Each structure stands twice: as C-alpha cells, then as structure tokens.
C-alpha cells in the first residue's frame, strides 16, 4: 500500500510518500479531516502557520487514536517571518497551538514574503539564512525531527547551502502535469534534498484539461489519481489536499503505473490556466 511507502531524509528520518495537504481546510473542520485521514491509513499530515488551521490539525493528531510517533506532521514558518527571532518565536507558537511536543518537520514557506512573490527581485538571502539558523537551532533542541524549505528556487537553495550547519532535507514545490520543473528537481536530488509536490491536481485546473482527462480514461482512473501517480513516479512526496472522505480514499488508490511514454507526454501538456487560483499569494497575489 502507498501508505507504507517512504523516502529516507538525509538524516535518516523516514517520510511517507503520500500525505494529506490541509490548505483551505478550516480550523474547525481540520481535526475531523485529520482523524478521517488517519483512519484510512494516512500517516503524513501537512499544515502551515499561514493556513490558520494548526490548532485543528494538532487536535486531530492528538485524538486520532494512533501513536504520535507514527504520524509525520509538518508545518511551515510563515513567509513574512524573515528574522531569527520571529522565526524562533513562530516555531514555539506552532508547537503550543498544536499541542505537540515536537514536529516531524518545519519548513520555510517561501523565500520571499507572499506580497513580493513574482513582484520583486529581492530573494531575502541574508534573512533566509537567519530563519534557517532558527530552524537549525530548533532541530538541535529536539523540537523538530527534520527541517526544509518550500517554493525555493536553485538560487535560494544555493544561498542556504553556502555555510549552513544542516542541509535542507526537503523542498516543497508546485509540481504537476504540465508544470514539471525537472532542472530544479534534479538539483535537489544532487544535493540529497527530497522534493515534495503540492497541489498535484494543479489547484483543480487539471480537472478541465481534455488531454489529462483522456489519459486518465486510458488507465481507468480518476484525473486526481493520474495526477498523484504522475508526481509519485517523479520520486516526489505528494500532498493532495482535501477534507472529503471519499476523495481521501480515492487519492490513495494508486495501484497502477504510468508508462514512460505517457509520462513524457504528460510532462509536455500545455500549461494550465489556474483561473482564480492564479491570484493566490504563491503566484504573487495579495493576502
């Protein structure tokens, strides 16, 4: 089963290949979503300070009936935290809000504050090194079992790799059919950084694409299943987000393999139109 499959981070920690993303799950619904996911078999839960649901996710982890050590929990330092002190304080606040003694992983949500993504050339190199130092210290203090980054390009990774005490263990980035940053993925592999793929269904845009729909029909699977399988075959951790129990179950039914020829075809599908999702902060919109 996919729930039993893991990657091993460069510090020896195992991370499940399939996780539950919780972006846009309201805080008052997050606990039940986590409990349902864990009941199905999920052992990897991904949240963030910016999602506003850390309290609910933490409640779900604590009350799901599965030992804490069997669930991999990730959160993210808010993109606006660009100093050592603000990052360190945010880590402690996350632990308090979630009611957890430790997190399995904490990552920097973005190299730039959201309002500057795609709007500014400033990559906050010195500031990100300070945030990274706060993560390293929290790791050494036993508050975090692993640390990483999100939305980091090669230049941002190079900045951290130059002089860090601990290399990033993951880079969580947008990877989906028609958006496959192979060069960045390969750079991460060369530096033993596991790639995590968020929004594998392209914020829903994949659901309206005829080429993707035809390929899903060829394999007798749903479009989300095809999209998740595509990312898995790129050797990435995949984080589909949903609070729908039926979708959680279907997203884990991945007992098929996409051929090399079809993987190449899907890689070159024309870029997708995200519609309203294109205005989310990660694409340079305003909060």
């Amino acid at each position: 089963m996919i729930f039993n499959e893991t990657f091993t981070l460069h510090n020896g920690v195992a991370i499940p290949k399939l996780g539950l993303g919780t972006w846009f799950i309201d805080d008052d619904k997050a606990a039940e979503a986590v409990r349902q996911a864990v009941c199905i078999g999920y052992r990897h839960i991904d949240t963030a300070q910016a999602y506003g649901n850390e309290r609910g996710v933490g409640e779900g982890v604590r009350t799901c009936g599965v030992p804490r050590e069997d669930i991999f929990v990730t959160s993210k330092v808010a993109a606006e935290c660009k100093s050592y002190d603000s990052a360190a304080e945010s880590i402690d606040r996350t632990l308090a809000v979630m009611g957890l003694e430790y997190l399995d992983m904490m990552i920097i949500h973005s190299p730039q504050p959201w309002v500057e993504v795609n709007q500014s050339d400033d990559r906050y190199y010195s500031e990100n090194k300070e945030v990274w130092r706060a993560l390293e210290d929290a790791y050494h203090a036993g508050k975090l079992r692993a640390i990483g980054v999100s939305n980091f390009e090669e230049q941002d990774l190079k900045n951290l790799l130059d002089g860090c005490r601990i290399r990033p263990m993951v880079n969580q980035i947008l990877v989906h059919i028609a958006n496959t940053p192979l060069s960045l993925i390969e750079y991460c592999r060369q530096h033993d950084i596991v790639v995590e793929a968020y929004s594998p269904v392209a914020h829903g845009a994949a659901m309206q694409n005829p080429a993707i729909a035809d390929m899903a029909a060829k394999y007798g699977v749903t479009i989300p299943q095809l999209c998740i399988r595509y990312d898995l075959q790129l050797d990435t951790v995949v984080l589909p987000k949903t609070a729908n129990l039926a979708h959680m179950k279907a997203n884990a039914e991945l007992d098929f393999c996409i051929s090399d020829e079809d993987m190449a075809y899907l890689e070159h599908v024309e870029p997708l139109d995200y519609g309203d999702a294109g205005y989310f902060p990660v694409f340079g919109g305003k909060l």
Side-chain angles (χ1 to χ4, degrees):
M1 290 182 62
I2 186 62
F3 296 128
N4 298 326
E5 296 184 20
T6 63
F7 290 111
T8 301
L9 304 177
H10 67 66
N11 68 339
V13 170
I15 180 171
K17 290 185 179 181
L18 182 67
L20 177 73
T22 63
W23 190 22
F24 284 125
I25 298 180
D26 292 338
D27 189 55
D28 61 352
K29 297 180 176 63
E32 183 59 21
V34 170
R35 285 191 289 263
Q36 289 181 336
V38 171
C39 183
I40 293 168
Y42 285 82
R43 293 296 182 268
H44 182 174
I45 309 296
D46 181 272
T47 185
Q49 294 170 356
Y51 296 172
N53 61 13
E54 286 182 316
R55 185 211 61 80
V57 169
E59 177 188 334
V61 170
R62 298 193 315 272
T63 61
C64 67
V66 171
R68 168 68 186 91
E69 61 269 20
D70 291 340
I71 303 176
F72 194 99
V73 183
T74 297
S75 192
K76 308 174 189 72
V77 174
E80 293 73 27
C81 290
K82 289 301 173 204
S83 69
Y84 178 93
D85 287 343
S86 65
E89 290 167 4
S90 80
I91 294 167
D92 289 340
R93 185 167 58 251
T94 284
L95 289 170
V97 168
M98 297 188 76
L100 301 177
E101 293 183 359
Y102 68 91
L103 287 182
D104 296 276
M105 187 161 64
M106 195 85 179
I107 60 183
I108 303 174
H109 209 157
S110 168
Q112 299 172 295
W114 289 131
V115 295
E116 294 190 38
V117 173
N118 296 336
Q119 308 291 331
S120 167
D121 292 330
D122 187 351
R123 303 304 295 183
Y124 287 78
Y125 289 139
S126 60
E127 291 87 348
N128 283 318
K129 283 192 170 185
E130 286 299 291
V131 176
W132 188 250
R133 187 165 63 87
L135 285 171
E136 290 175 324
D137 286 350
Y139 174 86
H140 285 302
K143 298 174 183 178
L144 312 172
R145 296 179 65 230
I147 53 178
V149 297
S150 181
N151 299 300
F152 271 49
E153 300 293 339
E154 185 173 326
Q155 60 188 319
D156 305 308
L157 292 169
K158 286 179 177 177
N159 174 58
L160 289 188
L161 290 168
D162 180 19
C164 64
R165 289 173 288 164
I166 304 171
R167 287 179 290 113
M169 295 164 190
V170 307
N171 187 16
Q172 186 178 126
I173 57 177
L174 181 66
V175 182
H176 59 72
I177 295 169
N179 185 81
T180 308
L182 292 177
S183 177
L184 179 56
I185 291 172
E186 180 57 29
Y187 181 84
C188 289
R189 285 183 184 140
Q190 290 172 358
H191 290 84
D192 204 10
I193 299 170
V194 171
V195 173
E196 294 190 304
Y198 68 77
S199 297
V201 192
H203 310 294
M207 303 295 289
Q208 284 77 48
N209 185 274
I212 298 174
D214 288 346
M215 188 66 74
K218 173 181 175 178
Y219 285 90
V221 299
T222 67
I223 290 174
Q225 287 168 337
L226 181 79
C227 292
I228 295 166
R229 186 73 226 179
Y230 174 83
D231 279 355
L232 284 171
Q233 288 185 213
L234 293 171
D235 288 330
T236 68
V237 171
V238 191
L239 302 167
K241 58 183 183 291
T242 182
N244 183 292
L245 179 60
H247 292 170
M248 288 181 196
K249 291 179 178 178
N251 288 348
E253 294 169 357
L254 302 166
D255 189 20
F256 67 100
C257 183
I258 304 170
S259 71
D260 291 344
E261 180 182 12
D262 288 340
M263 284 290 291
Y265 173 82
L266 292 170
E267 178 191 327
H268 293 98
V269 169
E270 289 295 313
L272 304 176
D273 181 0
Y274 298 129
D276 291 342
Y279 295 96
F280 289 140
V282 72
F283 298 113
K286 303 298 182 181
L287 287 171

